[in-house]
Amino acid sequence: QVHLVESGGGLVQAGESLRLSCAVSGRTISSYAVGWFRQAPGKERDFVAAVNWSDGFATYADSVQGRFTISRDNAKNTVYLEMKSLEPEDTAVYYCAGGDPNWYSDYEAYDDWGQGAQVTVSS
């Protein structure tokens, strides 16, 4: 069984930066991917970014392209989401998820989920 634990959420002002971490433990497969999703109150869970564990291929939602960077540290079994130029619209609970999805942006394709980390951006 794979466990994912997020950390690094918090309250920041618009324009500031924040880095989320997702520690991954347990057995994974070579095609494992880790994605970040977010959910604001009353809204759907949206795809943010994902990275392939083996080759580092990364993909992003259009809304965060150029502002957010996803990366992984294989030695630490950790995936990071570096968020810059944060906007109030980025306020949400951020979840990391792991699995072997056919489509990185499809949250239903991920099997393992963390507990979520709150990110709040004030204007």
Side-chain angles (χ1 to χ4, degrees):
Q1 188 174 1
V2 180
H3 294 278
L4 298 94
V5 179
E6 302 98 335
S7 60
L11 171 64
V12 297
Q13 293 188 333
E16 294 185 339
S17 300
L18 201 62
R19 188 178 78 164
L20 300 178
S21 300
C22 176
V24 182
S25 62
R27 178 174 293 181
T28 61
I29 56 177
S30 59
S31 57
Y32 201 75
V34 175
W36 285 97
F37 293 80
R38 65 187 182 185
Q39 188 166 21
K43 295 189 176 182
E44 298 281 323
R45 186 167 297 190
D46 291 332
F47 171 73
V48 176
V51 64
N52 183 282
W53 195 262
S54 293
D55 62 17
F57 170 80
T59 184
Y60 299 90
D62 290 344
S63 59
V64 305
Q65 182 78 45
R67 298 189 298 125
F68 291 12
T69 302
I70 189 170
S71 62
R72 89 260 192 251
D73 185 329
N74 288 11
K76 296 183 178 180
N77 286 338
T78 301
V79 173
Y80 303 100
L81 184 68
E82 187 77 40
M83 305 181 291
K84 297 182 179 179
S85 302
L86 282 162
E87 304 166 353
E89 293 74 22
D90 295 316
T91 295
V93 177
Y94 284 69
Y95 299 90
C96 67
D100 183 20
N102 289 326
W103 298 100
Y104 287 119
S105 60
D106 180 6
Y107 75 86
E108 293 184 340
Y110 290 81
D111 301 311
D112 312 306
W113 289 84
Q115 81 285 357
Q118 177 69 48
V119 172
T120 303
V121 185
S122 63
S123 57

